[in-house]
Amino acid sequence: MTARPALFEWTLAPGTGKAVPVKAGQILRIAQIEGGQCVDFNCFNLHDYKEFMHCGRTRTVHGFHPSRGTFLWSGPPRERALMYILEDTYGRNDVLFPRCSAYLYESAYGFDTHTNCHDIQAEAQREYGLTPDDVHDSFNLFMCTEVSGPHAATITRQDSRAGDHVDLLALTDVLAVPNVCGADVMRTSNFSLKPIALSVFAATAAEIAGVPKVPILRSQRTPRDFRKATIKADRELRADPGYVPQFANAPIVTTDVAVTLSGEEMALLRAAKLPLYGDDDAAALRDILFTWWEERFLAGNSGAPAID
Ligand SMILES: [Zn+2]
């Protein structure tokens, strides 16, 4: 990997970010120079900025700390894998916390002007015509977080070292936007801001072939499938007088369906018949199926997110 020629190289100075086009089949490496620096990250479809990385979707599929072997997903209705985490030498990333913002530093610390991820992202994205409203929830690289209670999460100090890096393989053409997190008054980057090295390389055929296969499903829709495909160009919201609702499954029709169970399946059903369900066999069956699905396809699995 390191012997490969770099197609692009850049040093992110503290207080800055950089918008970097990464074509499908290329790898963006984000590397520590001194160590101990958090990097916030945004990612857009290079040809349609309305599709971008969705931290909620990614968190649901891969858990709170996506690392090597997981995907960066876009949100519904696209729900595509935009990038694949090919390598992660430190292994501590976060999708629990939002980007830090100017308001955070003023309200919590009294700084009315302070480096912050939102404003750095906005300035970096401006090179490609995006506005401050286009900055999305960040994927926080080299950020050590943990769930500290039933309703709380905390940030802890980190010990990433010089040379630690995350390699993101683009599965489609993207605009990747990493920035040096502006938090020097928190444990996020151990109370100081340090530079970060960026480079783009071509992936090998073997690396591309090694990406787990993700099924392409009919429910993944693009603007070609939208009833309204154009982007609204003004800011005021007004009702369309010609609007007629066309919800896909409305009105809801409920039909009883007979299901034949094997003896083994029937035993599972009996075992799952908690008081919660009373005599409702169908509810118990749905719970069994959901548990089966959850165990196979939710957080912590290899990344394959759907039943094929
Ligand atoms: Zn930040």
Side-chain angles (χ1 to χ4, degrees):
M1 177 69 199
T2 50
R4 275 179 263 176
L7 305 170
F8 173 82
E9 288 182 299
W10 189 268
T11 300
L12 280 180
T16 74
K18 180 67 179 167
V20 183
V22 186
K23 298 294 185 67
Q26 295 178 348
I27 296 165
L28 171 64
R29 171 171 290 191
I30 300 171
Q32 296 288 334
I33 295 176
E34 299 176 19
Q37 178 59 52
C38 171
V39 175
D40 280 40
F41 182 81
N42 271 204
C43 176
F44 301 85
N45 176 341
L46 187 61
H47 310 294
D48 181 358
Y49 77 97
K50 285 291 190 182
E51 181 180 23
F52 51 83
M53 183 195 172
H54 191 268
C55 284
R57 164 74 188 167
T58 304
R59 183 166 58 236
T60 300
V61 178
H62 300 303
F64 303 151
H65 310 293
S67 183
R68 181 169 55 192
T70 63
F71 296 96
L72 311 188
W73 290 89
S74 61
R78 322 292 184 92
E79 296 195 84
R80 287 198 302 164
L82 299 176
M83 302 191 88
Y84 177 68
I85 305 180
L86 189 66
E87 181 57 273
D88 181 2
T89 64
Y90 184 49
R92 297 296 303 273
N93 308 305
D94 168 84
V95 282
L96 281 171
F97 280 83
R99 58 196 178 277
C100 59
S101 66
Y103 181 83
L104 167 70
Y105 292 105
E106 184 169 15
S107 61
Y109 299 95
F111 302 130
D112 59 4
T113 302
H114 192 277
T115 51
N116 69 86
C117 287
H118 179 90
D119 288 342
I120 296 171
Q121 277 288 329
E123 182 56 19
Q125 294 178 19
R126 187 171 66 85
E127 182 178 0
Y128 283 79
L130 298 175
T131 77
D133 286 335
D134 295 313
V135 178
H136 66 71
D137 257 1
S138 56
F139 178 33
N140 307 309
L141 306 174
F142 309 103
M143 184 173 180
C144 296
T145 62
E146 54 194 48
V147 176
S148 52
H151 307 293
T154 52
I155 303 168
T156 60
R157 290 177 71 97
Q158 60 159 293
D159 56 358
S160 67
R161 299 183 175 190
D164 274 332
H165 58 273
V166 177
D167 288 347
L168 300 171
L169 169 59
L171 305 177
T172 188
D173 296 351
V174 299
L175 184 69
V177 194
N179 75 272
V180 173
C181 172
D184 61 350
V185 291
M186 302 177 209
R187 284 173 284 195
T188 318
S189 297
N190 304 345
F191 301 96
S192 66
L193 306 181
K194 283 83 69 180
I196 286 290
L198 306 179
S199 50
V200 175
F201 304 86
T204 65
E207 285 167 337
I208 293 171
V211 177
K213 294 291 173 276
V214 178
I216 305 299
L217 305 176
R218 276 186 309 183
S219 56
Q220 294 170 301
R221 281 152 289 152
T222 71
R224 284 195 304 273
D225 307 306
F226 295 175
R227 290 198 185 95
K228 176 168 173 50
T230 54
I231 297 171
K232 187 169 154 49
D234 60 351
R235 292 178 183 274
E236 185 72 19
L237 295 176
R238 302 177 199 86
D240 174 0
Y243 167 73
V244 177
Q246 300 177 64
F247 297 103
N249 299 315
I252 298 290
V253 176
T254 303
T255 307
D256 288 337
V257 177
V259 178
T260 304
L261 300 180
S262 67
E264 184 185 359
E265 290 163 339
M266 204 61 209
L268 279 171
L269 181 62
R270 294 275 175 254
K273 282 207 70 176
L274 308 171
L276 179 66
Y277 299 116
D279 293 328
D280 191 342
D281 285 351
L285 188 58
R286 279 196 294 273
D287 190 63
I288 291 168
L289 291 172
F290 179 76
T291 303
W292 177 90
W293 177 83
E294 194 177 41
E295 285 171 355
R296 285 158 182 78
F297 300 109
L298 287 191
N301 71 27
S302 65
I307 301 168
D308 58 11

